[in-house]
Amino acid sequence: MAVVDRFAHAGATLVAERRGSGERMYVLIHGIGMGRTVFADLERHLGDGEVIAFDLPGYGEAPEPRRVLTIERTADLVAAYLRAHVRGPAVVIGHSMGAQVALEVAARHPAVVDRIVLIGPTVDPSARTAPRQLWRLLRDIALESPVVIARGAREYVRAGPRLRAKFHAMLRHRPEDVLPRVGVPALVLRGQDDLVAPPDWCRRLTEALPDGRLAEVAGHGHETMIRDAAPAARLIREFAGSA
């Protein structure tokens, strides 16, 4: 049974959906144009703990903030929720743009984070322009299943007319500058066929993390946690249970 509520902090509101139980806490942060519903299959496979999936401000069912949030302000909002509603540090999992948010949560608010998982992390510094990112995303989506395409299209429509401004907020953030400040274990997870988060970038990102490791999911692209999330969930559970 899921419990859904709203949380407001510093002029912005997110929607949090909680389900499951257990000592381990997983926190799911979606990517650009998405919402918490894209994690439905991943949630089902993270059965060894409680799962919280967010709609970030201006996505899914969360209202648009007065101004589009930076990645840093989004991380502060997520951390404020965790301090208010979660006992103990959590496994913070971010997909795509959500990986940038997860990085900032770990760097800015280490007390609320046990470890982080970066799924298909953006933004590769060699492609930090809107045309390059969109081209990579469109090529990746073209290889996905109709279910993934339909679900993604619905969420992009819900993200509203300010999506362009949100995209620029994502591009302005420089994850490579944040990596050395992440003091918790980090798993970089990519689909083997991911065109948005290429292997060279994921390797460089992993090597720059003080305690990073890299894993790939065969036969998957950028949306590896949407379509058949079982392999990704298995890697996440193994990582979350490691010493």
Side-chain angles (χ1 to χ4, degrees), residues 42-170:
L42 181 60
E43 289 181 53
R44 282 194 289 271
H45 292 287
L46 294 176
D48 60 333
E50 185 175 357
V51 180
I52 303 175
F54 291 132
D55 284 340
L56 298 177
Y59 296 95
E61 297 178 351
E64 286 280 359
R66 187 180 307 174
R67 296 180 61 184
V68 171
L69 270 61
T70 63
I71 296 296
E72 292 86 351
R73 280 199 63 206
T74 303
D76 293 345
L77 175 62
V78 169
Y81 176 90
L82 296 180
R83 282 194 298 269
H85 294 289
V86 175
R87 291 183 312 217
V91 180
V92 179
I93 303 166
H95 171 247
S96 198
M97 179 196 73
Q100 296 173 247
V101 178
L103 276 174
E104 288 288 354
V105 174
R108 297 164 70 87
H109 307 279
V112 302
V113 181
D114 176 61
R115 55 194 66 205
I116 58 174
V117 180
L118 312 176
I119 307 176
T122 52
V123 175
D124 178 0
S126 69
R128 192 176 278 126
T129 66
R132 287 185 179 181
Q133 285 294 308
L134 286 169
W135 175 238
R136 286 183 176 185
L137 183 61
L138 289 172
R139 288 169 61 211
D140 191 277
I141 290 175
L143 302 176
E144 285 291 353
S145 70
V147 171
V148 171
I149 294 171
R151 187 174 296 170
R154 185 187 71 169
E155 292 299 336
Y156 266 84
V157 169
R158 294 173 76 187
R162 301 175 73 185
L163 187 57
R164 182 176 180 181
K166 297 169 186 176
F167 203 82
H168 283 294
M170 179 189 78

Side-chain angles (χ1 to χ4, degrees), residues 25 27 34 109-110 121 143 150 157-158 181 183 188 207 217 233:
M25 175 68 69
V27 174
M34 297 284 110
H109 307 279
L143 302 176
V157 169
R158 294 173 76 187
R181 296 189 283 114
V188 179
E207 292 167 0
V217 179

